[in-house]
Amino acid sequence: MSRPWRRWALKVLDAIGVGDLARIGHGALTETGWRRSLREGASVDARGEPLPWISYPAIDLLAQRVPRDCRVFEYGAGNSTRWWAARVDVLASVEHDAAWFRQLRGTLPAAVRLDHVPLLDGGDYGRHARTVAAELGQPWDLVVVDGRDRVHCLRESAEALSPRGVVLLDNSERPQYAPGIEHLRARGFRQLPLRGLAPLLDHVTETSILYRAGNVLDL
């Protein structure tokens, strides 16, 4: 739309009370890729490149601060795995959904470790999944908790971290994850909640980073 026509159209929309929504749609929602993510049903940016399905403030912070030598372990795989694969040299991820695991594994670089770890009836998925992390023999600098059984995964994360390690928890506003957060806070972790829109979502969500002094993100 040319600028004169756009100005005219916005005046009409202002007259009926929806001009601000139109301005937002042509601004931040387009620049972040939110509109495209909604249209494509995938967590992507404005160019169609993969994004983690977490809040935009969290994405921005990670993109600016995560160093190449950061060792990342994910509970829950997806477009975040593709995003991390382009940014760090050591990446491992576990996924409980067999169909999604099969679809995803062919799209990742060979250096990325992706394992299917099924859910256990009445079991502790966090501990079960961490056996993969233990096999790799890595102290992890960043553990992403964005899959199933997140409270147990948070508890296991503390044991898997390097001295500079941090934990990233998505949807940290949900009350059911509070026991896992408190487990880490009792061990000296601080919480940085990053609230805002996220790809695909039409409401504000929260992604938290749990960290200690001397961490890999320099928080």
Side-chain angles (χ1 to χ4, degrees):
M1 183 187 297
S2 67
R3 289 187 180 277
W5 277 104
R6 184 168 186 269
R7 285 196 294 269
W8 176 84
L10 287 172
K11 286 182 180 179
V12 173
L13 293 172
D14 283 336
I16 61 175
V18 295
D20 288 342
L21 292 177
R23 289 181 178 88
I24 293 172
H26 282 281
L29 299 185
T30 299
E31 292 168 9
T32 58
W34 182 86
R35 295 181 71 191
R36 182 164 184 165
S37 76
L38 206 63
R39 189 168 62 247
E40 297 186 7
S43 186
V44 295
D45 65 14
R47 299 171 299 169
E49 296 296 322
L51 283 180
W53 197 6
I54 60 179
S55 73
Y56 285 117
I59 294 171
D60 289 344
L61 186 148
L62 294 171
Q64 294 173 34
R65 297 202 176 201
V66 170
R68 187 79 200 185
D69 67 349
C70 184
R71 298 178 296 268
V72 177
F73 184 87
E74 289 187 298
Y75 289 106
N79 265 11
S80 60
T81 314
R82 298 184 177 110
W83 189 83
W84 284 114
R87 285 167 172 79
V88 299
D89 292 328
V90 179
L91 171 63
S93 183
V94 292
E95 172 57 41
H96 78 279
D97 186 294
W100 180 235
F101 163 78
R102 290 192 295 270
Q103 181 179 337
L104 183 62
R105 66 179 172 180
T107 68
L108 298 173
V112 176
R113 170 79 177 259
L114 176 65
D115 285 85
H116 174 227
V117 180
L119 297 174
L120 301 174
D121 290 339
D124 179 342
Y125 180 73
R127 180 169 299 174
H128 181 42
R130 198 169 84 81
T131 60
V132 174
E135 287 173 12
L136 296 176
Q138 294 280 353
W140 300 97
D141 299 318
L142 196 152
V143 174
V144 179
V145 180
D146 197 12
R148 300 291 291 272
D149 196 17
R150 296 188 196 184
V151 170
H152 281 128
C153 291
L154 286 167
R155 289 173 175 162
E156 292 297 322
S157 296
E159 306 303 320
L161 291 176
S162 70
R164 66 175 188 166
V166 302
V167 177
L168 184 144
L169 170 65
D170 195 26
N171 309 120
S172 54
E173 77 278 12
R174 296 177 182 174
Q176 61 265 39
Y177 301 149
I181 294 172
E182 289 306 314
H183 179 87
L184 291 176
R185 290 178 67 93
R187 282 154 180 76
F189 286 79
R190 296 181 179 181
Q191 181 181 1
L192 175 62
L194 298 162
R195 294 178 57 81
L197 286 176
L200 290 166
L201 300 182
D202 62 357
H203 59 272
V204 170
T205 186
E206 181 181 281
T207 303
S208 283
I209 296 172
L210 294 126
Y211 66 97
R212 296 169 292 193
N215 62 82
V216 70
L217 301 180
D218 195 26
L219 295 174

